[in-house]
Amino acid sequence: MKINFCVLIGLSLILSIIFYSCTGPVDERKTQIQQAMIDGANYAMNVLLDEEGKSRCDYNIIKGEWVEYEPPWHTGQIIYALLETYRLTGNEEYLDAARRAGDWWVSLEITDHPKLTGMVNAIHGDELAEFIVFATVSDGTAGLFRLYDETGYEPYAAVPTSAGEWMLEHMYLPEHGLFYDFVHFETGEVLTEDHPYWGDKEKELYDVARPNNEGSLYKYMYEYTGNERYREVFLELCESLVERQGPEGLWMDFGPNQKDYDRFHPRFNIWYAEALLDGYDMTGDERYLHAAKKTADRYVKAQQGDGTIYYVNFLDGSYNSNSLCGSGVSFAGILWLRLLQYGVGDEYIENIERSLEWVLNNRYATDHPDPNLAGAFVETRMRHIYGGLWYTMRDLGTSFGLRFLADYYRYAYGEHI
């Protein structure tokens, strides 16, 4: 990783001054962050993970019921968050919970299907109940590779590597630097001309395939196996991202962005920026750094003065305020912090502070009367579906919030809790 330690020393002094002037004594803020991480990790461990070890996903506040939505991906985010908290606190309970979730995840391995053997049965759910989604697998595995690093338990790396190899063999378009999005979970058919999101619309290539570098899967596969082919594929995807990034710093040609409406997703583009920074770490290619910074600059415009980032955002700066994307607040903070450590993000300090304030202030109390919410970090999603109002509190506010607080704590204090 290319870190300028002189920059970091200067940064520590700058942050110390800003932390004190904006938030009060450093020790008080430090204690707040520590307690928030402990509360959030306890909630993730005891509430968000069910008896099997998978994420409960979305809590319908109106009905008081949990609803599954892309469990492999959501579980992967919780694994990542619990590991980050464990690494700071040393609390073995968090590692044990991450392992329980990891054991559920690797149990999805397909071993006896005529076409899908080697893949994982990572069904998306909801309106995509019949399909395995590439990004569900790829970005769902970042926590698993970290869990392997922590425990040395081979399946945590071997199972996602096997799935990545299957997708490379069956879903990759090397001439375009794209992967197809969907596989039918029963037939093993890769959807090359259809897409369940777009209905009767005449499909084009970008409607059924994307750069799909979320989670930097092939980077981790390369580090695990030493297979140069995986490194090549990862960097081919990075090149694809640089080539296809729009002038606004986003990838509007690809869903879940909606180019026809100038609407962009609160997290999707940040995953691509994160992968580009992984590519920068691997190669030192400044183009990757600059492209990631363009994305970071665009999310500065999406953040409100109080730190809020909404779920629905438009390129003209307007937004729909009915859903609060706590994970977007935290994920943008993670990206800004990472650029700061490279010495190219001093202008993001105010935004990082806004994200911190927002995350600390927008959490459910640990003694909240609804035990399904007690200790949660806020992430709301309101939709009008199924003949009524669908209002959920999502697990993502907590999982991304823990990651952000862990990053912030390390950069601000450089020590274990």
Side-chain angles (χ1 to χ4, degrees):
M1 182 179 293
K2 299 182 177 304
I3 302 176
N4 186 320
F5 287 96
C6 292
V7 170
L8 285 181
I9 292 170
L11 172 61
S12 297
L13 294 174
I14 293 170
L15 291 178
S16 296
I17 295 170
I18 292 174
F19 297 156
Y20 190 95
S21 63
C22 294
T23 63
V26 172
D27 285 349
E28 179 182 339
R29 176 43 46 91
K30 184 177 178 182
T31 301
Q32 285 181 299
I33 297 170
Q34 291 173 349
Q35 192 60 55
M37 290 189 67
I38 292 168
D39 291 345
N42 288 341
Y43 174 73
M45 173 177 64
N46 296 320
V47 179
L48 290 181
L49 294 180
D50 69 9
E51 296 78 9
E52 293 183 89
K54 74 174 183 296
S55 174
R56 299 182 193 274
C57 301
D58 292 355
Y59 181 64
N60 188 313
I61 296 174
I62 296 173
K63 293 185 176 183
E65 298 175 353
W66 287 96
V67 183
E68 286 192 0
Y69 184 94
E70 203 176 4
W73 183 84
H74 284 248
T75 303
Q77 307 312 314
I78 294 173
I79 293 170
Y80 198 154
L82 285 170
L83 278 176
E84 289 297 282
T85 312
Y86 163 71
R87 288 172 173 176
L88 279 177
T89 65
N91 187 334
E92 293 284 341
E93 289 185 307
Y94 302 149
L95 178 59
D96 291 344
R99 293 196 68 156
R100 182 160 56 91
D103 291 344
W104 173 80
W105 210 104
V106 299
S107 75
L108 301 176
E109 182 182 17
I110 299 171
T111 60
D112 58 356
H113 190 282
K115 287 188 177 180
L116 286 169
T117 293
M119 188 54 165
V120 289
N121 195 20
I123 298 173
H124 185 284
D126 200 50
E127 70 268 31
L128 299 178
E130 297 181 347
F131 301 103
I132 300 170
V133 182
F134 185 100
T136 300
V137 178
S138 63
D139 195 46
T141 59
L144 282 171
F145 282 102
R146 285 168 170 77
L147 190 57
Y148 166 72
D149 289 340
E150 201 65 52
T151 66
Y153 183 57
E154 205 75 25
Y156 296 149
V159 171
T161 296
S162 174
E165 176 61 36
W166 191 98
M167 295 190 296
L168 181 58
E169 181 180 349
H170 296 90
M171 302 176 75
Y172 190 40
L173 297 168
E175 67 275 21
H176 297 288
L178 305 172
F179 277 90
Y180 287 118
D181 284 326
F182 292 104
V183 182
H184 195 282
F185 85 102
E186 287 186 339
T187 66
E189 177 190 1
V190 176
L191 275 63
T192 61
E193 297 181 353
D194 196 10
H195 195 297
Y197 277 153
W198 307 132
D200 295 330
K201 173 184 181 292
E202 185 175 348
K203 312 301 188 301
E204 299 176 358
L205 179 61
Y206 287 179
D207 294 324
V208 297
R210 303 185 302 176
N212 271 325
N213 216 6
E214 296 97 319
S216 300
L217 173 61
Y218 291 95
K219 164 190 175 288
Y220 290 113
M221 289 169 57
Y222 164 66
E223 291 173 348
Y224 169 58
T225 66
N227 186 332
E228 286 290 335
R229 176 59 180 143
Y230 298 147
R231 181 180 187 274
E232 292 170 3
V233 171
F234 172 66
L235 293 178
E236 285 168 9
L237 295 177
C238 288
E239 289 296 317
S240 181
L241 290 175
V242 171
E243 177 185 344
R244 292 173 168 86
Q245 185 181 42
E248 71 291 309
L250 309 177
W251 288 269
M252 294 301 296
D253 286 325
F254 304 102
N257 292 332
Q258 294 179 299
K259 187 174 183 179
D260 290 346
Y261 303 100
D262 285 342
R263 172 180 168 176
F264 63 95
H265 192 273
R267 294 182 306 272
F268 168 65
N269 305 279
I270 302 178
W271 276 303
Y272 282 177
E274 189 176 48
L276 284 167
L277 291 181
D278 288 341
Y280 174 65
D281 288 342
M282 182 179 285
T283 66
D285 191 325
E286 296 281 343
R287 295 175 304 132
Y288 299 159
L289 179 65
H290 294 155
K293 193 173 187 306
K294 286 173 65 177
T295 307
D297 290 344
R298 187 59 191 80
Y299 278 84
V300 166
K301 297 177 182 178
Q303 188 178 48
Q304 307 302 306
D306 66 350
T308 300
I309 292 178
Y310 294 105
Y311 193 88
V312 177
N313 301 277
F314 300 93
L315 292 180
D316 65 1
S318 61
Y319 50 84
N320 185 331
S321 61
N322 66 7
S323 297
L324 301 169
C325 192
S327 60
V329 174
S330 292
F331 204 13
I334 290 168
L335 177 61
W336 294 326
L337 274 167
R338 189 165 174 182
L339 288 164
L340 198 58
Q341 76 167 329
Y342 294 135
V344 295
D346 287 354
E347 66 269 35
Y348 303 133
I349 290 176
E350 184 176 350
N351 298 96
I352 294 167
E353 283 298 304
R354 288 175 183 169
S355 288
L356 179 66
E357 287 293 316
W358 198 97
V359 170
L360 292 177
N361 291 334
N362 291 284
R363 297 179 294 121
Y364 283 85
T366 55
D367 60 353
H368 190 278
D370 187 341
N372 295 290
L373 296 173
F377 291 35
V378 169
E379 167 103 2
T380 64
R381 187 79 170 98
M382 183 182 292
R383 295 185 290 170
H384 295 273
I385 55 176
Y386 307 130
L389 184 64
W390 194 259
Y391 184 50
T392 57
M393 183 65 57
R394 313 191 76 197
D395 59 347
L396 299 177
T398 302
S399 52
F400 281 85
L402 288 172
R403 278 187 58 191
F404 170 58
L405 291 182
D407 284 354
Y408 186 99
Y409 193 92
R410 289 189 189 97
Y411 298 147
Y413 309 112
E415 59 186 74
H416 295 294
I417 293 177

